[in-house]
Amino acid sequence: MGRIIAWAYMALIYGFIFLPVGVLVLFSFQGGRLPVPPFNGPSLKWYGQVLGDRGLMTALGNSFLVAVVSSAVALLLGFLAAHALARHRLPGSVLMRGLLIAPMTVSYLIIALGLLSVFNGVGLRPSLLATGIGHVVINLPLCFAILYAAMGDQQKNAERAARDLGASEARILWLISAPMLMAPMLAAFFLSVTFSWDEFIIAFLLTRFDVTLPVEIWSMLRSGLSPKTNAIGSLVFLVSVSLLIVLEFTVFRKRTP
Amino acid sequence: MASIEATEARRAAAFVAPALLWVLAFFIIPFAVMIGVSFARLEGRTVVYGLSFDNYLRFFTEPSLFKGLTISLEITVVVTVISVLLAYPLAWIIAMRVPARYQRLALMLAVLPFWTSYVVRSYAWLLVLGQNGVINKALLALGAIAEPLEIASTRSATIIGFVHFFVMLLTLTIYSNLIQLSPNYARAAADLGASAFATFRHVILPLTLPGVVTGAFLTFVLCIGDYITPQILGGNNELTLPQLIMLQLGRRGDFPMASAMSIILMVVVTLAYFASARWLKLDRV
Amino acid sequence: MTAAVSLQGIHQTFGTYTALDGIDLEIAAGEFIVLLGPSGCGKTTLLSILGGFLTPTQGRVLFGDRDMTHVTPKARPTTTMFQDYALFPHMSLLDNVGFGLRMRGQSRAARHLKAMKMLEMVGLEAKAAARPHELSGGQRQRVALARALAVDPEVLLLDEPLGALDLKLRRQMQDELKAIQRRVGTTFVHVTHDQEEAMAVADRIVVMNQGRIEDAGPPQDIYLRPKSLFSANFMGEINLIPAKPVPSGVQTALGRLAVIAETTGPQMLCIRPENLGLSGDIPLGEARLTDAAFFGTHHRCHFTPTAAPDLILIAHLPQAGHPTVGTLHQLYATSATLLPQGTPA
């Protein structure tokens, strides 16, 4: 009896979770004009429109650029900071760690507003650069936290052994620290890319002409419901999920020696 | 020996500096500037700096503005409670009932919609809940209703949209909590005569409560500060605090007011943190 | 209240892996029995079956004359002391110990009284209000014991309870376990891989290997008269000398010895190091002392017999002596056992 209830509950909740996604993908193939029932035979015309829409494709490219660059910067800064704080007991370590984590605790809206005020003041126009700077702010705490937690004792001992065997600090970093931390670094990078890619409010406030994908989709919403929005949404979704599946199988393979 | 330590300390400082400088320049300072701007006034189109509490006073005295806070709080509390109540059983079923080798898959499936863009996800709910949407069309076809229900562009739609997102998030966090519990706790309880319900009530629930509170707090913070979902699903009759903030910014270019309201939002979140801090810091073995 | 336990024809398979291959065991009421063996021998699986956490693929589990093979842990008259203690971290010691009583519906006053009595029995009544994380490993273990005994089980199951403790504490706890068991009279079933621990506490030891029982009996019997080579090897260091039965004795590389074999076929002569020395009933001929280390209570010495230079014998020489490497001696055994030569595990 209990099992039946459990499975029924699971089915209901999963149904709830997948409902909007199902509708999204289904009506991306809508033959008619509106992404609502009735469903008129599968058609790829909206995908065609999406791929042909220069604005949309540019926005997609912009999102990718901002995500990758800002995540790389966040990862680098986070790695250096985590390495320094995990290795040495600097005065004010606790305060520094707190400062580096702080942006995670603040609503993105507030971060966006703050940057907008400052950039207005110094004359930095809204742009992809401004957005990228904001994205580093939100991803730096994440990268720092992940890497700081990953730099445990095993790490420390390996570096000490290397130092003992005569390696310089730079070589230790390059040959020992970085490779050992490859997994958490990749995790932090991909997580940052995901957050940056999907981020709306900072991008919305800090871009004007060159926009990211979420901002472009937002403007599409202004003009009403259209299967074209379904198409771009489904495209992003399906590509992400495929990437996830690929990652699952490569990571999964690695885990079974 | 001292010189080696000194060199290392210098190097460490050099490593930490870039990150700290970034946070300082692009977070701390903007934040401070925002606080300063909140005490400024808008005259015409220019911001006049000074120490004026006008913005804050206006917020608490103008019903149309203050309502934004109450609406945000009401929605956020409802969303948090419903999401926790829906997510916990799902997380529990995946952690305790699904065979170990399928748990990852079950979890992945439960959070798959995360991979649609947040904006697109809310838009999708618009499609589902709209007058011509899937739900209405289905109910009409079944003959359950005569006219389409007005779900979209109401508070209910906002809540549904939020709950959808946070059920996924909370399932993830609560699951990771449950999975860390030693299976021997439940075994020991059963061994000593506890029924399944008693085991849950006296052992599992108390041990997972701190994790649940952490998840609930996260939900609260993300929900109360969100602009997208209420803007897409909420309609124009009720505006949440983030929506009002964006309104101040967009239509009137009223930076000072927007800043003041943002500070108020931050204060509310901070108060929520202190309220739940007791649970967040609970010491466990 | 205690009961006798009967395990009949227990088989346990996990997929293609056989964990238990035909276990028949009778445990007397009030007995302290130890399941001893290396990891993977099935002792923990057997304990899980006793506790009701596992239903055997085949076979029956009886408590007294009640068949409880398919009864859940909740309804069984057993309680288990887990390897990681599994004390509830969010409850005080008093609440932990009283938990089983609470599940049986006892009033708060009654169960607090009983819980305090149990805590007194293990010497922790002063910390009744403390939480488990405030205690040391040894203290937590005592609380786990108190909690398991508080419900007056018929059988207490202990899953390698002393594994996490250091040597001195372990010895102390072994004595305490034995004393408590004598006092409450409950049947104790204790799982361990440490043969010294088994000998310290057990009324009877059951030596297990690869899902089967190799040997069973009081510690003295198992140690001095092992029934299998595996058991002999597992219980401690032992010298093994191949032997062939001949009229009135056996023929070995060290000559003809007057030890009678009970079976035919090739044998193995088993001599404990402490039964090998410079005097005794069974002469083993001349040997050279090749190594000696002082172990406090004795000198552990390596001997190479002149008649069989490929053999190395280990003997414990008295503490007071001064064994010198390179010297020749006449070796004697004070007692020896013969076991059929199989493959020692």
Side-chain angles (χ1 to χ4, degrees):
Chain A
M1 185 55 201
R3 288 192 68 198
I4 300 180
I5 296 181
W7 286 108
Y9 186 78
M10 265 188 97
L12 273 173
I13 296 278
Y14 275 114
F16 172 66
I17 289 177
F18 277 97
L19 181 58
V21 175
V23 168
L24 182 79
V25 174
L26 178 65
F27 286 100
S28 70
F29 297 106
Q30 171 73 297
R33 218 174 25 91
L34 289 175
V36 292
F39 180 67
N40 299 324
S43 158
L44 286 176
K45 65 178 178 188
W46 301 106
Y47 284 95
Q49 281 207 16
V50 159
L51 292 171
D53 185 334
R54 294 223 17 246
L56 212 50
M57 289 296 109
T58 313
L60 200 129
N62 290 342
S63 275
F64 189 72
L65 182 69
V66 169
V68 168
V69 173
S70 70
S71 299
V73 173
L75 186 66
L76 180 66
L77 294 179
F79 176 80
L80 291 174
H83 192 267
L85 288 178
R87 289 284 155 277
H88 312 276
R89 219 173 291 130
L90 292 171
S93 263
V94 179
L95 179 65
M96 284 194 247
R97 283 212 307 272
L99 278 178
L100 290 172
I101 304 274
M104 264 203 312
T105 63
V106 175
S107 164
Y108 289 2
L109 175 58
I110 296 177
I111 295 181
L113 261 177
L115 283 175
L116 196 57
S117 311
V118 165
F119 286 163
N120 267 352
V122 299
L124 183 66
R125 316 247 81 216
S127 61
L128 291 178
L129 174 66
T131 306
I133 292 177
H135 283 185
V136 174
V137 173
I138 62 173
N139 282 325
L140 179 53
L142 185 71
C143 292
F144 171 74
I146 291 180
L147 291 176
Y148 185 74
M151 292 190 184
D153 279 333
Q154 195 192 33
Q155 178 81 9
K156 213 183 265 192
N157 289 338
E159 289 173 11
R160 201 181 293 161
R163 205 171 287 131
D164 192 42
L165 291 164
S168 69
E169 287 307 314
R171 298 197 89 186
I172 293 178
L173 212 62
W174 188 245
L175 293 173
I176 309 284
S177 316
M180 270 183 88
L181 291 168
M182 194 48 64
M185 285 207 293
L186 282 175
F189 183 74
F190 282 117
L191 221 53
S192 300
V193 166
T194 309
F195 284 164
S196 165
W197 168 266
D198 191 28
E199 200 284 322
F200 174 74
I201 198 79
I202 294 178
F204 184 62
L205 290 176
L206 294 179
T207 56
R208 185 64 39 79
F209 299 116
D210 299 310
V211 295
T212 61
L213 189 62
V215 179
E216 185 67 25
I217 295 179
W218 184 265
S219 355
M220 281 171 71
L221 293 185
R222 288 286 170 73
S223 11
L225 305 177
S226 159
K228 193 169 162 199
T229 318
N230 290 47
I232 181 69
S234 304
L235 198 62
V236 169
F237 175 63
L238 293 172
V239 168
S240 309
V241 171
S242 316
L243 214 71
L244 193 70
I245 295 178
V246 166
L247 272 174
E248 259 302 297
F249 279 113
T250 51
V251 166
F252 186 59
R253 287 275 153 73
K254 266 198 196 129
R255 216 170 279 175
T256 44
Chain B
M1 288 303 114
S3 66
I4 294 183
E5 275 174 20
T7 328
E8 280 189 4
R10 266 206 304 276
R11 184 181 297 116
F15 276 14
V16 163
L20 282 178
L21 285 175
W22 195 283
V23 171
L24 190 70
F26 299 118
F27 176 69
I28 307 282
I29 292 181
F31 194 72
V33 166
M34 210 177 75
I35 297 182
V37 170
S38 76
F39 289 113
R41 278 188 345 265
L42 188 73
E43 283 176 13
R45 298 230 115 229
T46 45
V47 174
V48 176
Y49 289 93
L51 191 67
S52 155
F53 284 90
D54 277 359
N55 297 317
Y56 291 96
L57 285 175
R58 258 190 68 205
F59 179 79
F60 286 106
T61 53
E62 258 184 55
S64 60
L65 290 178
F66 187 71
K67 246 179 69 169
L69 179 58
T70 50
I71 291 172
S72 281
L73 278 173
E74 284 167 18
I75 293 180
T76 303
V77 167
V78 168
V79 165
T80 305
V81 169
I82 296 181
S83 302
V84 168
L85 288 177
L86 288 180
Y88 197 110
L90 182 63
W92 191 87
I93 293 174
I94 297 180
M96 306 286 186
R97 288 282 173 267
V98 172
R101 57 209 163 119
Y102 294 127
Q103 281 184 15
R104 254 170 83 96
L105 180 65
L107 209 58
M108 283 275 108
L109 282 177
V111 302
L112 208 57
F114 267 159
W115 270 268
T116 57
S117 145
Y118 190 79
V119 173
V120 168
R121 196 195 54 86
S122 297
Y123 160 75
W125 273 110
L126 198 58
L127 295 183
V128 172
L129 300 173
Q131 295 233 341
N132 294 318
V134 170
I135 293 202
N136 269 319
K137 285 275 167 70
L139 288 177
L140 281 170
L142 286 174
I145 52 174
E147 274 186 24
L149 295 173
E150 225 186 283
I151 315 177
S153 306
T154 64
R155 185 188 284 208
S156 307
T158 307
I159 291 178
I160 292 176
F162 272 138
V163 165
H164 180 251
F165 180 79
F166 290 113
V167 162
M168 292 193 284
L169 182 65
L170 284 169
T171 302
L172 212 58
T173 58
I174 296 177
Y175 169 85
S176 65
N177 238 292
L178 283 169
I179 211 70
Q180 280 171 2
L181 283 183
S182 163
N184 279 344
Y185 288 136
R187 281 197 202 123
D191 191 46
L192 291 163
S195 65
F197 180 70
T199 303
F200 177 75
R201 182 171 151 231
H202 292 288
V203 180
I204 308 285
L205 187 61
L207 289 179
T208 52
L209 208 52
V212 169
V213 172
T214 307
F217 177 69
L218 188 63
T219 302
F220 183 90
V221 172
L222 292 175
C223 182
I224 203 171
D226 185 52
Y227 167 70
I228 300 167
T229 302
Q231 184 72 357
I232 294 181
L233 293 169
N236 291 321
N237 293 330
E238 285 188 334
L239 293 180
T240 61
L241 195 53
Q243 284 176 293
L244 288 176
I245 293 175
M246 289 296 280
L247 212 60
Q248 298 300 315
L249 209 57
R251 202 184 293 167
R252 306 182 53 220
D254 195 344
F255 258 92
M257 194 61 202
S259 301
M261 289 167 75
S262 299
I263 303 283
I264 292 173
L265 183 62
M266 261 222 84
V267 168
V268 170
V269 168
T270 311
L271 287 176
Y273 171 74
F274 283 121
S276 55
R278 188 168 71 93
W279 297 93
L280 294 177
K281 287 201 181 106
L282 190 67
D283 253 331
R284 297 208 280 119
V285 167
Chain C
M1 246 277 278
T2 186
V5 186
S6 179
L7 292 160
Q8 298 172 355
I10 302 283
H11 283 261
Q12 181 66 44
T13 44
F14 297 111
T16 52
Y17 173 66
T18 305
L20 292 171
D21 193 7
I23 302 283
D24 289 284
L25 187 61
E26 301 291 325
I27 303 175
E31 185 176 21
F32 197 138
I33 195 165
V34 172
L35 303 179
L36 175 67
S39 39
C41 70
K43 55 193 193 293
T44 309
T45 310
L46 195 59
L47 202 74
S48 299
I49 289 177
L50 276 170
F53 300 105
L54 202 57
T55 309
T57 328
Q58 262 177 52
R60 302 202 303 160
V61 181
L62 289 95
F63 289 85
D65 50 5
R66 296 159 292 165
D67 186 340
M68 294 213 160
T69 319
H70 300 280
V71 174
T72 60
K74 175 173 177 291
R76 274 195 204 208
T78 60
T79 46
T80 303
M81 227 178 93
F82 296 91
Q83 201 167 2
D84 62 355
Y85 316 137
L87 294 177
F88 305 129
H90 58 293
M91 294 186 197
S92 68
L93 298 194
L94 196 66
D95 286 331
N96 257 287
V97 175
F99 185 78
L101 302 168
R102 184 174 185 184
M103 291 302 110
R104 281 159 173 72
Q106 282 192 17
S107 72
R108 164 171 265 174
R111 63 174 192 260
H112 277 195
L113 194 65
K114 179 83 193 271
M116 275 308 273
K117 267 214 322 249
M118 300 308 294
L119 282 172
E120 275 169 25
M121 184 178 78
V122 297
L124 283 170
E125 69 277 11
K127 296 209 171 209
R131 294 278 172 96
H133 70 268
E134 301 170 42
L135 304 183
S136 71
Q139 290 173 322
R140 281 183 221 179
Q141 201 239 10
R142 294 209 209 110
V143 177
L145 183 64
R147 182 177 73 177
L149 288 175
V151 295
D152 293 316
E154 291 176 15
V155 182
L156 179 63
L157 308 171
L158 302 97
D159 186 7
E160 305 210 46
L162 308 181
L165 306 176
D166 62 64
L167 186 61
K168 196 144 169 239
L169 200 53
R170 216 182 307 157
R171 292 249 164 87
Q172 192 187 327
M173 281 309 307
Q174 284 161 8
D175 293 337
E176 281 190 35
L177 269 179
K178 190 86 185 148
I180 289 177
Q181 193 268 342
R182 282 218 185 92
R183 204 159 97 195
V184 296
T186 311
T187 312
F188 272 32
V189 181
H190 179 129
V191 158
T192 181
H193 59 268
D194 180 353
Q195 77 278 14
E196 279 189 23
E197 179 165 301
M199 289 195 280
V201 298
D203 293 332
R204 230 173 16 125
I205 300 179
V206 175
V207 181
M208 290 178 68
N209 181 37
Q210 294 187 341
R212 294 207 184 85
I213 294 181
E214 290 264 346
D215 207 345
Q220 210 161 344
D221 286 357
I222 303 247
Y223 187 81
L224 294 175
R225 289 170 288 277
K227 293 202 198 69
S228 78
L229 279 175
F230 174 83
S231 181
N233 252 317
F234 195 81
M235 292 306 293
E237 267 198 316
I238 194 157
N239 293 293
L240 297 173
I241 303 165
K244 210 172 59 166
V246 292
S248 69
V250 288
Q251 183 70 33
T252 72
L254 303 176
R256 181 178 289 222
L257 304 171
V259 189
I260 312 291
E262 287 176 26
T263 58
T264 51
Q267 307 281 318
M268 203 62 101
L269 187 68
C270 310
I271 309 175
R272 294 278 179 206
E274 62 271 16
N275 292 336
L276 191 61
L278 304 178
S279 65
D281 296 326
I282 308 173
L284 296 175
E286 188 188 66
R288 187 179 297 275
L289 199 150
T290 55
D291 196 11
F294 183 57
F295 268 55
T297 52
H298 59 269
H299 294 265
R300 183 170 175 273
C301 303
H302 289 214
F303 282 96
T304 308
T306 316
D310 292 333
L311 211 55
I312 297 179
L313 298 175
I314 300 182
H316 290 176
L317 295 191
Q319 180 194 65
H322 300 279
T324 320
V325 172
T327 49
L328 285 169
H329 301 272
Q330 289 293 326
L331 281 184
Y332 297 85
T334 51
S335 92
T337 319
L338 279 172
L339 285 175
Q341 208 178 85
T343 30

